[in-house]
Amino acid sequence: FVTGALAGKKVVITAGPTREAIDPVRYISNHSSGKMGYALAQAAVEAGAQTVLISGPTQLAAPDRLEFIAVTTAEEMLAASLQQAAGCDVFIAAAAVADYRPVQVAAQKIKKTGDANLTLEFVKNPDIVATIAALAEKPFTVGFAAESENLIAYAQQKLARKNLDLIIANNIAVTGIGFNADDNAVTVIDKTGQQEISQRSKQQLARELIALFAQKFKDS
Ligand code: PMT
């Protein structure tokens, strides 16, 4: 018997970067460490939730007492997310998903030529959190917005465009928070307004965010 704000609820969290192959030895990715998403997963477990962590490649150990699904690409993360959407109460997209992937993955290592420039063509990846938010049985859906400018305005646009219930705006222009940092500071935005949470450890922030999501989910 599990007690806690999310006892009996299923929480699915995406975390870390995705990695999109260019050829057998190269890929494009980003600086997400997975720390924020893993801290949220840990906090969801502590709140009593049946927790699923879908993670891109990170250096972190999977927390105990949850289902861990390792993926590499955005398309794999989408497939795992759709599979886990059944019976999901709260979906949290903390992953930094590559917006684009190379149109073609070269079968062999791309060789250096005499040309000074190399052009790669990219195609848009599916939007995972927007796909989940468009399901007929939509979970309470939380996104993050990592922005280097116009933080609140861009986050509000993403909240509306992706049909999210709540978005966490993350200012990545500030040193010491955001990508790969141990701390974070965020603004929580939903249709009722916004609330700033000052800098603290990702673990501490995750516990506060999970408590907030549980309350908002209950009220929804
Ligand atoms: O992993 P850490 O080092 O701890 O860093 C944490 C973090 C900064 C990565 C995290 O807090 C964060 O902000 N994650 C979202 C990063 C991001 O890529 O944001 P975005 O603004 O590009 O995407 C907006 C939202 O849509 C996000 O919830 C993202 O998961 C989701 N998305 C984006 C693109 C896509 N194809 N599918 C998605 O689901």
Side-chain angles (χ1 to χ4, degrees):
F1 181 72
V2 195
T3 56
L6 289 169
K9 304 298 174 201
K10 177 177 175 180
V11 175
V12 179
I13 298 167
T14 68
T18 67
R19 193 181 269 184
E20 314 292 333
I22 295 170
D23 70 13
V25 293
R26 305 181 179 98
Y27 57 81
I28 78 157
S29 190
N30 59 67
H31 293 296
S32 170
S33 63
K35 286 175 191 169
M36 190 69 244
Y38 281 51
L40 286 162
Q42 179 75 52
V45 169
E46 286 165 13
Q50 176 204 338
T51 306
V52 181
L53 176 59
I54 302 170
S55 177
T58 75
Q59 302 296 316
L60 305 177
D64 291 335
R65 294 180 289 152
L66 54 68
E67 184 177 346
F68 183 79
I69 302 174
V71 297
T72 303
T73 66
E75 287 178 305
E76 288 169 11
M77 189 173 274
L78 173 65
S81 298
L82 281 171
Q83 199 170 27
Q84 291 299 328
C88 174
D89 297 293
V90 179
F91 185 89
I92 306 169
V97 183
D99 286 325
Y100 293 88
R101 67 177 183 277
V103 170
Q104 278 180 337
V105 182
Q108 308 298 334
K109 182 180 173 190
I110 297 172
K111 301 301 286 179
K112 194 154 53 178
T113 68
D115 294 345
N117 297 326
L118 170 73
T119 304
L120 289 174
E121 198 184 344
F122 290 88
V123 59
K124 224 180 220 156
N125 265 327
D127 193 303
I128 299 165
V129 77
T131 305
I132 297 297
L135 293 174
E137 301 223 346
K138 178 194 173 189
F140 184 86
T141 309
V142 178
F144 274 75
E147 306 292 350
S148 56
E149 58 175 353
N150 299 331
L151 178 67
I152 303 301
Y154 285 159
Q156 280 167 335
Q157 287 169 17
K158 281 180 184 169
L159 177 76
R161 190 174 70 239
K162 299 185 188 222
N163 191 30
L164 308 178
D165 295 295
L166 196 142
I167 196 156
I168 314 295
N170 216 157
N171 188 343
I172 56 168
V174 179
T175 49
I177 63 167
F179 282 96
N180 202 15
D182 289 331
D183 287 2
N184 211 355
V186 298
T187 306
V188 179
I189 305 171
D190 69 5
K191 62 175 186 303
T192 68
Q194 65 188 64
Q195 173 185 340
E196 274 186 44
I197 307 182
S198 60
Q199 183 171 342
R200 60 205 64 197
S201 74
K202 285 179 176 172
Q203 281 74 20
Q204 179 60 30
L205 176 65
R207 283 186 217 112
E208 291 167 38
L209 287 176
I210 288 291
L212 187 73
F213 302 162
Q215 189 57 48
K216 297 262 184 193
F217 165 68
K218 219 173 98 199
D219 296 343
S220 69

